[in-house]
């Protein structure tokens, strides 16, 4: 691979991550379903991705896709061909319409997805079937690199047609387009991952993340929506959960900024 990725282990127990919170800070949950996921079922990445705006969770299409793929797996000897089948069937069943600011639950219910929920879908399926893969976080985008049958393949979830990039020169060109620049710094903390309107010339972040950390980035995305709506208190609460899942510098910095702005607006500390 072009770069050596930094691997940070996902949490396996909520209580082990309490040190990410400020003293006396309590997590805020929008729904009882979200709270139950965090307290009882967070060891399953699927649950973590459904936690954001968790009300009624529609898992039927997910279960149907997994059942179909399980059956197909028993009949397919080529890992390469099955990978293509995963990519195509995921778009046919779940990843139907790219909509920025959509969540994993939007995808399950309406087929709306972005690069985070799309990569989460593909990542969980690749994990299930034992592929050697990496989820790559960049400044404003997430994609997947798969090593299969001695080839490196890119899975670009936001492109149903042409999003499985296999030609070596095209793979190299794709990776080069996100290759970080030395000493570059992330220019904006308030731009979501997967926003097509941003300046893609920023190249500060290029690293491997786990499924748990990707779930943290979904909370980060949601917090940015609240921040840009000047709901700074709610943004800081979402970022506290994001920090537990993914202790990254940009999540930490945005949380500090949200708390600072909340103090200016409300006149008291929201920590």
């Amino acid at each position: 691979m072009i770069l050596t990725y930094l691997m940070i282990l996902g949490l396996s127990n909520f209580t082990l991550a309490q040190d990410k919170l400020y003293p006396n800070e309590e997590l805020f949950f929008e729904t009882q379903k979200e709270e139950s996921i965090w307290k009882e079922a967070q060891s399953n990445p699927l649950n973590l991705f459904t936690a954001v705006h968790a009300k009624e969770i529609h898992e039927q299409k997910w279960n149907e896709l997994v059942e179909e793929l399980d059956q197909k797996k028993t009949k397919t000897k080529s890992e390469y061909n099955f990978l293509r089948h995963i990519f195509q069937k995921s778009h046919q069943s779940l990843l139907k319409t790219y909509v920025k600011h959509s969540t994993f639950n939007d995808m399950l219910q309406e087929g709306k997805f972005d690069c985070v929920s799309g990569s989460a879908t593909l990542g969980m399926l690749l994990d299930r079937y034992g592929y050697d893969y990496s989820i790559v976080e960049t400044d404003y985008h997430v994609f997947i690199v798969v090593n299969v049958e001695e080839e490196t393949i890119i899975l670009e979830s936001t492109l149903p047609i042409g999003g499985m990039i296999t030609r070596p020169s095209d793979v190299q060109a794709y990776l080069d387009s996100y290759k970080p620049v030395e000493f570059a710094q992330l220019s904006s903390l308030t731009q979501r991952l997967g926003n097509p309107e941003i300046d893609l010339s920023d190249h500060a972040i290029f690293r491997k993340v786990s499924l748990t950390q990707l779930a943290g980035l979904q909370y980060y995305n949601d917090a940015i929506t609240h921040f840009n709506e000047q709901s700074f208190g709610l943004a800081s609460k979402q970022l506290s959960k994001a920090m537990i899942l993914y202790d990254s510098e940009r999540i930490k910095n945005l949380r500090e900024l949200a708390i600072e702005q909340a103090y200016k607006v409300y006149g008291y500390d929201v920590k």
Side-chain angles (χ1 to χ4, degrees):
M1 295 295 295
I2 294 177
L3 295 177
T4 300
Y5 299 123
L6 173 63
M7 180 60 179
I8 307 174
L9 294 178
L11 78 160
S12 59
N13 188 296
F14 168 66
T15 58
L16 296 179
Q18 290 282 10
D19 60 349
K20 307 303 180 189
L21 301 176
Y22 292 104
N24 302 319
E25 179 183 1
E26 293 184 3
L27 290 181
F28 166 80
F29 299 107
E30 292 182 300
T31 65
Q32 289 184 341
K33 181 64 176 177
E34 181 189 19
E35 183 175 8
S36 67
I37 288 172
W38 275 76
K39 290 185 175 180
E40 300 172 9
Q42 65 170 275
S43 60
N44 183 347
L46 178 62
N47 290 323
L48 285 176
F49 286 111
T50 60
V52 176
H53 305 316
K55 295 179 182 178
E56 183 180 356
I57 298 174
H58 302 264
E59 293 188 21
Q60 181 178 351
K61 291 183 179 179
W62 174 266
N63 293 332
E64 290 174 351
L65 173 60
V66 169
E67 183 179 355
E68 180 179 351
L69 290 174
D70 283 351
Q71 294 177 358
K72 182 70 174 180
K73 185 68 170 67
T74 62
K75 303 174 183 178
T76 305
K77 295 182 179 180
S78 169
E79 293 297 312
Y80 180 93
N81 290 340
F82 187 62
L83 178 64
R84 184 174 294 280
H85 191 75
I86 289 174
F87 188 81
Q88 293 174 344
K89 283 297 180 181
S90 294
H91 283 88
Q92 291 172 10
S93 301
L94 294 175
L95 312 178
K96 295 185 176 181
T97 306
Y98 177 84
V99 178
K100 65 178 181 178
H101 304 177
S102 55
T103 65
F104 194 85
N105 283 325
D106 292 330
M107 181 202 66
L108 290 178
Q109 186 170 358
E110 304 176 70
K112 299 176 181 178
F113 74 101
D114 61 11
C115 70
V116 173
S117 54
S119 295
T121 297
L122 295 173
M124 285 188 286
L125 293 173
L126 295 173
D127 203 53
R128 179 181 183 86
Y129 299 112
Y131 281 91
D132 176 17
Y133 75 99
S134 301
I135 304 169
V136 180
E137 171 197 9
T138 70
D139 295 59
Y140 306 116
H141 190 50
V142 179
F143 62 90
I144 290 180
V145 179
V146 188
N147 298 310
V148 58
E149 296 181 0
E150 299 184 354
E151 292 186 39
T152 298
I153 294 172
I154 302 294
L155 296 185
E156 172 52 75
S157 66
T158 63
L159 296 176
I161 306 298
M164 183 171 168
I165 303 171
T166 60
R167 185 181 300 172
S169 60
D170 293 340
V171 169
Q172 185 69 42
Y174 184 95
L175 292 173
D176 285 345
S177 70
Y178 289 101
K179 188 176 180 180
V181 177
E182 190 175 9
F183 305 121
Q185 295 184 0
L186 185 66
S187 64
S188 175
L189 290 172
T190 58
Q191 293 283 4
R192 294 170 53 102
L193 281 82
N195 187 344
E197 299 172 0
I198 55 145
D199 180 4
L200 294 178
S201 63
D202 295 326
H203 296 88
I205 297 176
F206 190 95
R207 57 178 169 243
K208 178 179 177 180
V209 293
S210 68
L211 285 168
T212 297
Q213 291 164 340
L214 186 61
L217 289 175
Q218 183 178 228
Y219 271 105
Y220 172 79
N221 266 357
D222 190 59
I224 289 174
T225 298
H226 295 304
F227 188 98
N228 290 337
E229 293 171 350
Q230 299 188 3
S231 299
F232 303 117
L234 185 53
S236 70
K237 294 179 186 302
Q238 295 296 78
L239 289 162
S240 291
K241 289 176 283 189
M243 275 288 293
I244 289 176
L245 299 174
Y246 183 15
D247 185 3
S248 82
E249 193 67 20
R250 70 167 163 189
I251 293 175
K252 179 181 178 181
N253 289 343
L254 183 58
R255 183 169 68 151
E256 295 291 345
L257 181 59
I259 291 170
E260 177 183 333
Q261 293 299 314
Y263 186 82
K264 292 179 180 179
V265 173
Y266 310 134
Y268 60 88
D269 200 332
V270 299
K271 289 191 283 188

